[in-house]
Amino acid sequence: MELWLGAINLGFLYAFMAVGTFITYKLYSFPDITIDGTFTTGAAVASILIFDGWNSFLVVPVAFLAGCMAGSITGFIHTRFKIEGLLAGILVMTGLYSVDLHIMGKSNIPLLSKRTFISVLSDINPGLPPELWTMLFLVVLVLVFWILVSLFLKTDFGLTMRATGNNPVMISAQGVSVNRMKLFGITFANGLVGISGALIAQYQGFADIGMGAGSIIFSLASVIIGEAILHKRSVFLQILGVIIGSLIFRLAVALALHVGMDPNDLKLITAVFVLLTLITTGALSQEATGNLRKIQKWLQIRRNRRITGILLIIMVFGFILFRLASTGAEESRKVKIGVILANNSDIVTKTRDGFYRELENLGYIDGKNCIILEQNAEGDIPTNLTIVDHFLKEEVDIYVPISTASTQAALNKVKDKPIVFATVANPFVIGAGTSPDAHPPNITGVYGASPIGDLLKIFRMFYQGEVTIGTIYNPAYPNTVSNLKDMKQALQKDPGIKLVETTISGSNDVYQAALALISKGIKAFVLINDITVFNAFESVVRVSGNAGVPIFTCDAERLADGALIVYGFEYYASGMQAAHLVDRILKGESPRNIPFEKYALVTLGVNYDIANILHIKIPPGVSEMADARVKNHKLIKPPLKLPDGKKTEEPLLP
Amino acid sequence: MIVISRLCKIFNAGSADEMIALNEVNLTVGEHEFVTVIGTNGSGKSTLLNAIAGNIVPDAGKITVNGSEVTAKADFQRAKYISRVFQNPFSGTAPGMTIAENLLMAYNRGRHSYPVINLNAKLRDYFREQLAILDMNLENRLETIMGSLSGGQRQAITLLMAVLRPPMVLLLDEHTAALDPKSANQIIKLTRRFIKEYRLTTLMVTHSMQQALELGTRTIMMHHGQIIEDIPEEEKKFLTTEDLLCKFEDIRKTEKLTPEMIEILKNQYA
């Protein structure tokens, strides 16, 4: 039930954004991409204020104003400088990324222990299931919103807004400044998007810099679905249609997850759906000629729009009812393990593989004595939340989120089932307790920051005296920033090493950043763990080979990829550790009494091929200590085995 | 009252397509005067209307309406004084909104619109009364979407909207040219009625010689960006469409037969 209630609640929360898009897109034919950024702005403003102790309801109008400000910039650029709407939106959206980051101060703000409207609601809950209680509140909220917006669009001012979009020549002849009305409309619409952002950040328990991506397409889909269902001229019904469209869209996302579809495919399907609808709706068909008209005729969606819409609803709800009816008749329960992956990076998949292998070693066979459910958010942050909802509905017995974003989602939603996280750099910054022993009663897991200090000690065995090193990082990721902090702390003990850093904002910047570091005369790249850099690791390797500057890194997986020295934790082993924790909990131990574990296995790897190419001599001490080697294009690595104690609180190197 | 002095407008100045649309035009239209404007294609009559309405900014010259200068004001700023009816019957109304909502826009012309709901039963009754004047059975279709009406019906409503709050100046830009003859007649009848009833200062551009002579208190003829004929009411009474055509013919002749051409002709017949 939680999955569908959660989806409905998200639908209500996104309705504000959808109505904003209705105003820009339907009233002004202005597809406003700004909202991808504004959504995050609303979330950022709300969470930073809540973090500072503001009232969770009071932050909503503030987020509205912040959204208005962002929107007014797009409107101003568009109307004053005659820059095309789409381009104006892209410009502001791009700029907002930096602004949002500045507002938040980091890329993720957890609201777990803060008073959000959700926690205020739960305090006055008369005993209903939390999602249902939240839904009741949202029904009232959205009802009020619906009536207010509809009435507003019926006032003289609202009519003028609609007329401006409908026929600018006419409204101009009636003495209305088209530019001013457009500016107002875009501003107001973005304000509504800001409200959505503020509410959703509170609902999901955190704000994240990436949470707005794709908003415009999802929003457009909601508007289009709404129009298909309630193709009416009345403003009240039009707005109602948009709200219903938002609900149906979120239910469709839940349904897709429910049937095990890849959420990544969902984006493609949404895009295709929006495209098809755009082709077949009026806006284009006025100019449609030849082939386009043939396509429209073939699709016939225009004429049968309402039927299509109704069919869609029947399908969605029919399926939900069917599933709800069929869940009653289930065979004897096996223990259900829900694995949530935040993305497809090496680190995450290695952890998962290790987890599965060790689980099997411990006697848990999928389908036989346990059921393993796995879903991947593919890097989309809100999807983590929907996955958790899905698992709640599936009555998963133990949650295994891998990586920080998934853990954050599970932490927020799962209150009465154990959570065992794996591969989280710092669980304390996302609100999972204050120390390995003092943590929420239902959560435990495996964590640790990368051993940058030790890597630098190894580096010192290669280079003595005054030496300059370079590193590249993306400041948008909190893990990366915390890794960099650790590195700087380690360097304080060794003033002989001078650090040159370069920041990037995407994988495409890595090559140039690496070249820039070479020009500053670095002796080696010492790379901290940063997913953006590792996604473009090839770029660094290329620069490294051309300039004869070796790579030292904390990610053990990079050895065969072209690093000279790797010294890092085995994420595979982290998964194995998590499997042991799951085993202990399933055998009756309470997670309350299990302290968080640090990663147990560390690997020192040496790539002799690279050493040959770069003419670097490997010091004997390093050779001796190496666990893994690359020689003649072959990776030699002993099989991983967890040490008995499984604790590595003490320093790994002398 | 409109006073236009030394109004100039050159399109594509300096290029091969340079076109002098208005060449030092001087025109004074008195209070309650109804001027019809005729002229060849590209004679500048539409440009003149657009300059008065504020759709184009003149290169030089001055326009005053009832004593206040409007030369540099945007079109929407002049809407307080000036109403327009366009040639395209679809330009003057919002197709996605109801008749009542369109009329409300006109009712608020030149005034700020506030977030209050003014469209009440009383105002609807008033709109119904006004629509009845059009004699098109539109008075009971206040909630009809404008886009579902015919061109003639929409133009009639546009005209009604233009005078719903009687303006100081009414500009009609070939507003019957795109209509079928029957609708055109109806619109002309209404135009005549409204102008008379509200004693509007009017400037009407037309292609029809007949309209130009039948309507209005004064006719001006434009050519090459200049007013070449200014026919007062007394003279109009005796003028026929043939006379007007003759005047055009005269221009054509003088234009075509430039000295060089006369030279060529002479050589041919010599």
Side-chain angles (χ1 to χ4, degrees), chain A residues 83-119:
Chain A
I83 289 175
E84 212 193 315
L86 218 55
L87 188 57
I90 292 171
L91 284 171
V92 175
M93 176 196 77
T94 310
L96 275 181
Y97 184 87
S98 311
V99 175
D100 293 343
L101 209 51
H102 273 294
I103 294 173
M104 291 162 71
K106 51 190 173 175
S107 72
N108 187 299
I109 298 176
L111 297 171
L112 204 62
S113 49
K114 303 289 167 190
R115 275 189 77 74
T116 61
F117 81 92
I118 295 290
S119 50

Side-chain angles (χ1 to χ4, degrees), chain A residues 151-152 154-160 162-164 166-167 169-178 180-181 233 235, chain B residues 75-76 79 86 90-97 101-102 104-106 108-110 113-118 145 161:
Chain A
L151 279 178
F152 173 70
K154 277 201 156 304
T155 62
D156 287 13
F157 191 81
L159 283 173
T160 312
R162 285 159 57 199
T164 305
N166 205 223
N167 187 347
V169 175
M170 168 260 188
I171 204 67
S172 193
Q174 304 305 332
V176 175
S177 163
V178 171
R180 210 174 296 163
M181 291 315 287
R233 300 281 187 181
V235 173
Chain B
D75 54 349
F76 67 88
F86 305 88
F90 303 120
S91 293
T93 47
M97 299 170 77
E101 288 168 342
N102 269 281
L104 184 80
M105 294 296 108
N108 283 338
R109 192 183 66 240
S113 49
Y114 296 100
V116 288
I117 298 182
N118 263 332
I145 294 294
M161 285 166 64

Side-chain angles (χ1 to χ4, degrees), chain A residues 17 21 24-25 30-36 93 212-222 274:
Chain A
M17 179 164 86
T21 300
T24 45
Y25 177 67
F30 181 101
D32 184 17
I33 295 187
T34 321
I35 69 168
D36 276 28
M93 176 196 77
S215 297
I216 181 68
I217 292 300
F218 300 149
S219 233
L220 279 178
S222 306
V274 171

Side-chain angles (χ1 to χ4, degrees), chain A residues 383-438:
Chain A
T383 304
N384 283 299
L385 217 60
T386 314
I387 293 174
V388 175
D389 278 337
H390 173 56
F391 284 174
L392 283 168
K393 196 212 137 280
E394 291 283 339
E395 292 179 3
V396 159
D397 298 295
I398 187 160
Y399 292 77
V400 183
I402 296 176
S403 96
T404 307
S406 306
T407 307
Q408 210 167 5
L411 200 56
N412 181 37
K413 286 230 160 186
V414 184
K415 299 295 173 202
D416 52 357
K417 291 282 164 67
I419 302 170
V420 175
F421 62 80
T423 307
V424 171
N426 188 342
F428 312 116
V429 295
I430 58 167
T434 48
S435 79
D437 300 294

Side-chain angles (χ1 to χ4, degrees), chain B residues 182-213:
Chain B
K182 194 174 159 241
S183 305
N185 267 338
Q186 248 174 322
I187 297 294
I188 286 299
K189 236 164 79 187
L190 287 167
T191 309
R192 213 195 278 263
R193 174 174 174 172
F194 285 135
I195 292 173
K196 200 170 160 198
E197 200 171 317
Y198 300 113
R199 303 188 68 214
L200 298 169
T201 309
T202 307
L203 213 59
M204 171 173 149
V205 170
T206 177
H207 254 126
S208 153
M209 302 290 164
Q210 205 187 340
Q211 271 182 16
L213 289 178

Side-chain angles (χ1 to χ4, degrees), chain A residues 220-230 241 244-245 248-249 273 309 312:
Chain A
L220 279 178
S222 306
V223 171
I224 288 168
I225 295 171
E227 209 192 14
I229 291 159
L230 279 175
I244 294 176
I248 290 182
F249 182 74
F273 167 74
L312 197 78

